[in-house]
């Protein structure tokens, strides 16, 4: 699997993400992808070869291993990383769609025409919903895989001794897992990083919703303030016009002549 190619694609998401989104990407690639590539595959690389049972019955070893490890941890985490990172590409695709619309609009109406988007990468309208839905999908994927890991393996612990009674084993046999403590540490580490990513995505959704509500409240308050100023200016203009009209209609009393004043 070419993780460098996936990292190169998702690096473009940084410029369209919030601060929480950038931290999320850092955790995914530094603490999940890098640990998965460098250490996890080596820890689980010999899990089937070093899974030992105290019996020589043909088929018993394979049946017991399949019973306790129905899905490999490495493959399960690989699926989780693919499903949790690919939705971020929807944001990049949506921005590319906006840029293509803007380019076609300029070709049709000229460079001096009114723009469709003031900023194609700004999270407004459909892009805001796309971004929020990708966050919801990431939370759902991480939560689902954390639950599957707990449900399939009945917890995150790896006991040193396992009792197996599956057929064709002749009786209850003892089986031993290779390096159970090391596997337990890496499993808990991957689960904790998944929970951290879930919390970051929740915080990012709350941040986006709160920011949007604040902008709507501010714009509504600003529009009401403009309407109030318009009404007050209109009333002042009407008062000044009425005063001018009253002044024009008032008759002026002529000054008395000299003879009238002397008499």
């Amino acid at each position: 699997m070419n993780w460098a190619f996936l990292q190169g694609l998702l690096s473009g998401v940084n410029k369209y993400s919030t601060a929480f989104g950038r931290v999320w990407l850092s955790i995914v690639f530094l603490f999940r992808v890098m640990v998965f590539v460098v250490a996890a595959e080596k820890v689980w690389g010999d899990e089937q070869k070093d899974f030992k049972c105290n019996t020589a019955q043909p088929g018993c070893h394979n049946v017991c291993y399949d019973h306790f490890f129905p899905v490999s941890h490495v493959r399960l985490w690989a699926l989780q990383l693919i499903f949790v990172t690919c939705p971020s590409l929807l944001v990049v695709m949506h921005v590319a769609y906006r840029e293509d619309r803007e380019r076609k609009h300029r070709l049709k109406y000229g460079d001096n025409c009114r723009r469709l988007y003031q900023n194609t990468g700004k999270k407004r309208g459909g892009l805001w919903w796309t971004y929020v839905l990708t966050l919801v999908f990431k939370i759902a994927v991480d939560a689902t895989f954390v639950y599957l890991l707990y449900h399939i393996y009945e917890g995150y612990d790896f006991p040193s001794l396992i009792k197996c009674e599956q057929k064709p084993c002749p009786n209850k046999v003892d089986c031993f897992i290779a390096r159970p403590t090391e596997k337990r540490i890496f499993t808990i580490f991957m689960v904790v990083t998944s929970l951290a990513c879930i919390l970051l995505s929740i915080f990012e959704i709350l941040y986006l919703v709160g920011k949007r509500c604040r902008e709507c409240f501010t714009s509504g308050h600003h529009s009401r303030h403009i309407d109030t100023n318009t009404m007050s200016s209109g009333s002042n203009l009407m008062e000044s016009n009425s005063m001018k009209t009253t002044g024009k209609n008032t008759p002026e009393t002529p000054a008395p002549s000299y003879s009238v004043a002397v008499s």
Side-chain angles (χ1 to χ4, degrees):
M1 185 177 296
N2 194 351
W3 293 106
F5 175 72
L6 182 60
Q7 183 178 3
L9 287 176
L10 292 178
S11 61
V13 182
N14 266 331
K15 55 184 178 181
Y16 308 124
S17 300
T18 62
F20 293 103
R22 295 186 182 96
V23 175
W24 182 89
L25 279 175
S26 300
I27 291 178
V28 167
F29 283 105
L30 293 179
F31 297 101
R32 295 178 70 175
V33 176
M34 294 300 294
V35 171
F36 175 82
V37 174
V38 174
E41 290 185 342
K42 295 181 180 179
V43 173
W44 273 269
D46 56 351
E47 55 181 340
Q48 187 172 5
K49 182 181 66 175
D50 292 341
F51 184 81
K52 304 296 183 181
C53 296
N54 59 351
T55 181
Q57 178 68 28
C60 180
H61 176 273
N62 293 333
V63 169
C64 290
Y65 177 81
D66 184 71
H67 176 72
F68 290 106
F69 296 97
V71 181
S72 174
H73 284 71
V74 176
R75 296 180 180 88
L76 193 65
W77 286 332
L79 287 175
Q80 180 181 1
L81 290 173
I82 290 173
F83 280 112
V84 83
T85 52
C86 285
S88 299
L89 299 178
L90 292 176
V91 179
V92 180
M93 293 172 62
H94 199 150
V95 174
Y97 167 73
R98 282 185 164 190
E99 292 175 351
D100 186 64
R101 280 194 65 192
E102 189 68 35
R103 181 182 60 83
K104 292 180 179 179
H105 182 72
R106 288 186 177 184
L107 289 175
K108 185 176 181 180
Y109 297 103
D111 294 335
N112 297 325
C113 64
R114 184 180 180 182
R115 300 185 60 178
L116 295 175
Y117 307 99
Q118 295 297 327
N119 186 1
T120 56
K122 195 171 184 179
K123 291 180 283 295
R124 292 292 183 275
L127 184 60
W128 188 88
W129 285 104
T130 301
Y131 195 89
V132 171
L133 289 177
T134 56
L135 293 176
V136 174
F137 186 79
K138 291 175 187 177
I139 294 173
V141 168
D142 274 333
T144 301
F145 275 91
V146 168
Y147 171 75
L148 284 177
L149 191 66
Y150 181 85
H151 179 72
I152 292 174
Y153 299 104
E154 298 180 355
Y156 307 119
D157 192 18
F158 287 87
S160 301
L161 177 63
I162 295 176
K163 300 290 185 178
C164 181
E165 297 179 318
Q166 304 296 317
K167 293 182 180 180
C169 296
N171 47 27
K172 182 183 292 187
V173 297
D174 297 334
C175 297
F176 303 91
I177 302 174
R179 300 195 300 276
T181 304
E182 190 175 11
K183 289 182 171 62
R184 185 186 307 115
I185 292 173
F186 275 95
T187 301
I188 294 175
F189 179 82
M190 296 297 285
V191 170
V192 170
T193 52
S194 299
L195 295 177
C197 290
I198 291 174
L199 289 177
L200 283 172
S201 298
I202 293 174
F203 290 154
E204 190 171 8
I205 291 176
L206 294 177
Y207 169 75
L208 290 172
V209 173
K211 184 179 179 181
R212 188 60 178 164
C213 293
R214 185 181 63 184
E215 290 177 354
C216 293
F217 175 77
T218 304
S219 61
H221 180 72
H222 183 66
S223 62
R224 288 195 300 270
H225 183 68
I226 292 176
D227 293 340
T228 305
N229 291 336
T230 303
M231 292 176 64
S232 61
S233 62
S235 61
N236 293 333
L237 182 60
M238 291 176 64
E239 290 178 0
S240 62
N241 290 334
S242 63
M243 291 177 65
K244 290 180 181 179
T245 305
T246 305
K248 289 181 181 180
N249 295 332
T250 303
E252 294 182 356
T253 304
S257 62
Y258 176 75
S259 59
V260 174
V262 172
S263 61

